[in-house]
């Protein structure tokens, strides 16, 4: 049986990743801050394989994807026990968007290190954050190769599990190392942010 996914944040990135997961046969629970009823129409449009749930429901899935605004990540600390949970961090630490795109002051940490400190015990893997959602939405098979998703994290077993899922979706994977270093390359304004690579 395929791993279940809980998606926290049902906007551009949450819906885009959900579409890839559903296509590959992973069960998905989508959540937002307004509650499952607000997502009923959306989940109906996805068809089978996706349900709406609360943030707590989504957090009970085998693998959790964070696709909510940076300013909201701290809201997840109080409600959920994150111990040992694989958490994919797709957030970027933007405080403002176009035209100035200001980022939060992380005091020298990577953004996923900050996420890890907010979700104690969570096995954080940074992924799905580098591509604009309209690029991420495209078929990952392109030009005879596979569109690349970068990952980073401190826990090798969760990185392996997430890599396997990403490959099952049809993407290539490049592992950039740990959260202190790799995640800095991936995060907003990092060297590989927005890089759309095809692995041949
Ligand atoms: N857009 C992109 O191309 C892109 C690319 C890579 C990474 N990212 C990152 O991915 C994250 C999401 O971006 P997005 O463009 O998908 O944003 P979005 O379209 O605005 O969606 C954000 C989602 O998060 C939900 N949300 C807000 N506060 C929440 C909370 N406290 N608990 C649970 N859900 C909450 C929102 O619903 P409610 O307000 O109804 O709760 C909404 O469903 C951001 O960190 C962004 O930087 C975005």
């Amino acid at each position: 049986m395929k791993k279940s996914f809980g998606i926290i944040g049902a906007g551009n990135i949450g819906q885009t990743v959900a579409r890839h997961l559903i296509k590959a046969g992973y069960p998905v629970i989508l959540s937002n801050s307004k509650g499952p009823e607000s997502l009923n129409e959306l989940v109906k449009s996805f068809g089978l394989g996706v349900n709406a749930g609360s943030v707590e429901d989504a957090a009970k899935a085998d693998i959790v994807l964070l696709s909510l605004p940076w300013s909201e990540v701290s809201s997840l600390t109080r409600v959920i026990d994150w111990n040992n949970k694989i958490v994919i961090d797709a957030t970027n630490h933007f405080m403002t968007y176009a035209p100035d795109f200001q980022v939060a002051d992380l005091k020298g940490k990577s953004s996923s290190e900050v996420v890890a400190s907010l979700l104690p015990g969570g096995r954080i893997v940074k992924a799905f954050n580098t591509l604009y959602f309209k690029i991420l939405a495209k078929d990952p098979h392109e030009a005879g190769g596979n569109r690349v998703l970068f990952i980073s994290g401190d826990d090798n077993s969760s990185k392996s599990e997430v890599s396997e899922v990403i490959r099952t979706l049809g993407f290539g994977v490049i592992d950039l190392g740990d959260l202190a270093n790799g995640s800095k390359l991936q995060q907003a304004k990092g060297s590989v942010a927005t890089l759309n690579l095809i692995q041949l």
Side-chain angles (χ1 to χ4, degrees), residues 21-120:
L21 291 168
I22 295 159
K23 196 173 167 198
Y26 291 94
V28 169
I29 294 176
L30 265 180
S31 71
N32 64 6
S33 70
K34 297 192 178 76
E37 297 74 26
S38 68
L39 294 168
N40 280 345
E41 287 306 310
L42 177 68
V43 298
K44 263 191 228 157
S45 73
F46 279 107
L48 288 179
V50 60
N51 287 294
S54 64
V55 168
E56 290 78 2
D57 294 332
K60 285 184 193 134
D62 297 320
I63 300 179
V64 177
L65 176 87
L66 304 185
S67 47
L68 71 172
W70 176 257
S71 56
E72 292 295 318
V73 176
S74 59
S75 73
L76 303 176
T77 305
R78 57 193 156 77
V79 276
I80 296 151
D81 177 9
W82 295 100
N83 199 33
N84 224 20
K85 179 70 69 181
I86 297 181
V87 179
I88 302 177
D89 174 22
T91 67
N92 281 319
H93 61 298
F94 287 116
M95 297 305 286
T96 63
Y97 292 95
D100 50 343
F101 291 102
Q102 285 180 8
V103 289
D105 178 3
L106 303 174
K107 314 277 183 218
K109 286 189 173 179
S110 70
S111 65
S112 285
E113 284 183 295
V114 174
V115 170
S117 70
L118 291 168
L119 312 184

Side-chain angles (χ1 to χ4, degrees), residues 10 13 44 62 73 85 91 104 111 114 116 132 142 155 157 163 169 172 174 180 183 186 192 195-197:
I13 283 292
K44 263 191 228 157
D62 297 320
V73 176
K85 179 70 69 181
T91 67
S111 65
V114 174
Y132 179 51
E142 195 169 308
D155 177 63
S157 69
S163 297
L169 305 184
I174 295 181
S183 171
Q186 263 178 265
V192 306
L195 191 60
N196 182 14
L197 275 188

